[in-house]
């Protein structure tokens, strides 16, 4: 049925108004800039993009290797200027890397809305912790060895490889008036670290995340006289990717393979007059991906991803006791060789979680057996759909199979069922990170 004359007039009038509006206020289009194959040109292009309020797009030289030798943003220790607006980088299979002999800095810090296509980010190394606080406890290592993210981030058809978060600093030694300090915690998120105080989405599509590592815990300080050594620092979580607070993670296709969480720091030596040994620090949770929400359920999801060959962190060794002093406790090995999820509901859709390994305990008193080679949950739930499988992980597949319906363990010990003490330590590490 044809519309009436009145209806036709209203349609024509509406079209005219919309057409006029389109002429007056066109949608913003990103201006695209071709970037020559030179690191200085790339640094300048990102800085120029930050200087304009409009969206920008950069097209890198095909297959170029942009080798960065110093941090362009000293405040945030980033090889490129920190992204402040809406920016798209078309990599055309180019690589952005940190020179092997350069000072330690991450590759990218994003405060804006960043999209990366067909690009390799490699060799970033967040700064190690340095110094101590007024109590002698050491400072933590930096998070986000490859990318430190604070806003929306989209990564497609790319490679995030060989990046490392910073190690914790060494605790201060005891003096006549002070006790030995604890080692600093290792940085989180070797490849990518994402934190957002409000909800922001991190979407990773058809991307390889491999060979990244979170930071090691720093050693505890040494005791003096009858004073004990300090505790070793806990290692960072999420060797490949770490997202906490309000970041909503989506991983579609691609793989998370061969990443590792850092080892716990060694306890300090006890004083020579019977000082006890310092306890070893906890190994890092989640060699592959770590997620933790503090803003209610964010419902992250992985689709068609392979999570394999990742390693949670080894626990730190206890220190050496002074003559007659007590022995230190073994550091817990990290759980969740493949994935760690705290306080959220994760969906694994046609995902394979296999051949990952939990961290072994460190040397010392009362070592707790390794557990959670595949998935570690804490106040969390994981749903397996469309043939998703968790198998072949060591020494078992899931710390709490009830949290992951369909996950079956071949090996399990009573100790692996978890202690309140370990859960408290794991959550404390996340709170300290946030």
């Amino acid at each position: 049925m044809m519309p009436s004359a009145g209806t036709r007039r209203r349609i024509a009038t509406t079209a005219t108004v919309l057409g006029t509006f389109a002429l007056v206020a066109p949608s913003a289009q990103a201006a695209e800039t071709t970037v020559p194959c030179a690191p200085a040109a790339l640094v300048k292009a990102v800085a120029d993009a930050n200087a304009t309020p409009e969206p920008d797009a950069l097209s890198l030289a095909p297959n170029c290797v942009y080798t960065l030798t110093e941090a362009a943003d000293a405040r945030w220790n980033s090889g490129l200027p920190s992204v402040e607006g809406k920016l798209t980088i078309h990599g055309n299979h180019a690589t952005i890397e940190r020179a092997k002999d350069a000072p330690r800095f991450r590759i990218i810090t994003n405060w804006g809305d960043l999209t990366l296509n067909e690009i390799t980010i490699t060799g970033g190394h967040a700064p190690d912790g340095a110094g101590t606080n007024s109590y002698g406890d050491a400072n933590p290592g930096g998070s986000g060895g490859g990318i430190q993210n604070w806003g929306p981030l989209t990564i497609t058809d790319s490679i995030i490889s060989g990046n490392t978060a910073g190690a914790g600093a060494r605790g201060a030694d005891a003096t006549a008036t002070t006790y030995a300090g604890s080692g600093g915690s290792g940085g989180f998120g070797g490849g990518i670290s994402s934190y957002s105080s409000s909800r922001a989405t991190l979407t990773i599509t058809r991307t390889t995340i491999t060979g990244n590592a979170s930071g090691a815990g720093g050693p505890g300080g040494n005791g003096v006289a009858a004073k004990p050594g300090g505790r070793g620092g806990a290692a960072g979580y999420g060797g490949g990717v770490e997202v906490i607070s309000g970041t909503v993670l989506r991983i579609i296709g691609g793989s998370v393979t061969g990443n590792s969480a850092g080892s716990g720091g060694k306890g300090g030596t006890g004083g020579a007059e019977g000082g006890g040994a310092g306890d070893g620090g906890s190994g890092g949770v989640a060699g592959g991906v770590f997620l933790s929400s503090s803003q209610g359920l964010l419902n992250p999801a992985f689709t068609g991803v392979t999570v394999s060959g990742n390693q949670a962190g080894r626990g730190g060794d206890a220190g050496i006791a002074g003559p007659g002093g007590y022995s230190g406790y073994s550091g817990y090995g990290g759980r969740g060789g493949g994935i760690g999820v705290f306080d959220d509901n994760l969906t694994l859709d046609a995902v394979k979680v296999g051949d990952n390994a939990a961290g072994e305990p460190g040397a010392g008193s009362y070592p707790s057996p390794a557990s959670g080679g595949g998935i570690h949950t804490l106040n969390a739930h994981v749903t397996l759909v469309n043939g998703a499988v968790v198998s072949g992980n060591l020494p078992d597949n899931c710390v709490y199979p009830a949290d992951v319906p369909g996950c079956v363990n071949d090996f399990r010990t009573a100790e692996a069922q978890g202690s309140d003490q370990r859960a408290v330590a794991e959550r404390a590490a996340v709170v300290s990170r946030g």
Side-chain angles (χ1 to χ4, degrees):
M1 178 182 295
M2 293 291 292
S4 67
T7 301
R8 289 197 300 272
R9 282 194 298 273
R10 286 195 297 272
I11 294 172
T13 300
T14 301
T16 300
V17 172
L18 291 175
T20 302
F21 179 78
L23 291 172
V24 173
S27 59
Q29 298 294 321
E32 186 159 313
T33 300
T34 299
V35 181
C37 187
L42 176 57
V43 169
K44 182 178 185 301
V46 175
D48 289 346
N50 284 336
T52 65
E54 297 81 13
D56 290 276
L58 307 180
S59 180
L60 306 191
N63 302 306
C64 174
V65 178
Y66 295 86
T67 302
L68 306 174
T69 58
E70 62 182 3
D73 187 332
R75 179 182 180 187
W76 296 105
N77 291 294
S78 299
L80 297 179
S82 295
V83 176
E84 298 173 1
K86 187 173 179 61
L87 176 64
T88 298
I89 301 179
H90 299 294
N92 300 309
H93 304 291
T95 296
I96 306 176
E97 68 173 13
R98 169 184 151 272
K100 292 181 174 58
D101 58 351
R104 291 182 172 176
F105 55 81
R106 57 182 61 87
I107 306 298
I108 294 173
T109 294
N110 175 46
W111 290 96
D113 184 343
L114 176 63
T115 297
L116 302 174
N117 298 319
E118 295 184 340
I119 194 166
T120 296
I121 303 296
T122 186
H125 198 308
D128 294 336
T132 65
N133 63 20
S134 59
Y135 297 100
D137 296 327
N139 291 320
S143 296
I147 301 172
Q148 184 178 51
N149 180 57
W150 304 88
L153 174 61
T154 302
I155 304 173
T156 305
D157 296 322
S158 295
I159 299 171
I160 310 296
S161 68
N163 302 286
T164 307
R170 182 180 183 278
D173 291 340
T175 68
T177 58
T178 63
Y179 282 88
S182 298
S185 59
F188 285 46
I192 302 169
S193 173
S194 186
Y195 175 93
S196 179
S197 58
S198 59
R199 294 198 179 193
T201 301
L202 168 55
T203 304
I204 304 172
T205 304
R206 296 185 302 275
T207 290
T208 299
I209 300 170
T210 186
N212 305 284
S214 64
N222 295 326
V224 66
K227 293 180 178 179
R231 178 188 296 273
Y237 294 6
V241 179
E242 170 251 354
V243 298
I244 66 171
S245 192
T247 300
V248 183
L249 180 63
R250 301 280 186 266
I251 303 182
I252 305 162
S255 61
V256 180
T257 60
N259 303 283
S260 58
S263 298
K266 182 177 180 179
T269 299
E273 298 174 15
D279 300 333
S282 299
V285 169
V289 181
F290 177 72
L291 311 95
S292 178
S293 170
S294 65
Q295 299 191 18
L297 297 179
L298 300 178
N299 298 308
F302 302 176
T303 303
V305 184
T306 298
V307 181
S308 67
N310 302 288
Q311 173 74 58
R314 181 183 183 277
D317 296 338
I320 299 172
Y326 57 80
S327 300
Y329 287 97
S330 160
Y332 295 124
R335 294 174 167 180
I339 300 172
V341 190
F342 291 5
D343 304 309
D344 214 332
N345 290 342
L346 170 66
T347 298
L348 300 181
D349 183 344
V351 170
K352 161 75 172 176
V353 181
D355 301 319
N356 304 286
E360 295 294 328
S365 300
Y366 305 107
S368 180
S371 66
I375 299 176
H376 176 29
T377 50
L378 187 60
N379 190 32
H381 187 85
V382 179
T383 301
L384 308 178
V385 299
N386 294 326
V389 62
V390 185
S391 67
N393 303 283
L394 296 174
D396 53 7
N397 292 314
C398 298
V399 175
Y400 305 113
D403 292 342
V404 192
C407 181
V408 178
N409 283 335
D410 299 320
F411 166 78
R412 193 154 169 76
T413 68
E415 292 87 349
Q417 303 211 6
S419 65
D420 290 340
Q421 185 177 7
R422 179 184 284 202
V424 167
E426 289 172 342
R427 188 174 297 284
V430 178
V431 171
S432 173
R433 160 72 179 93

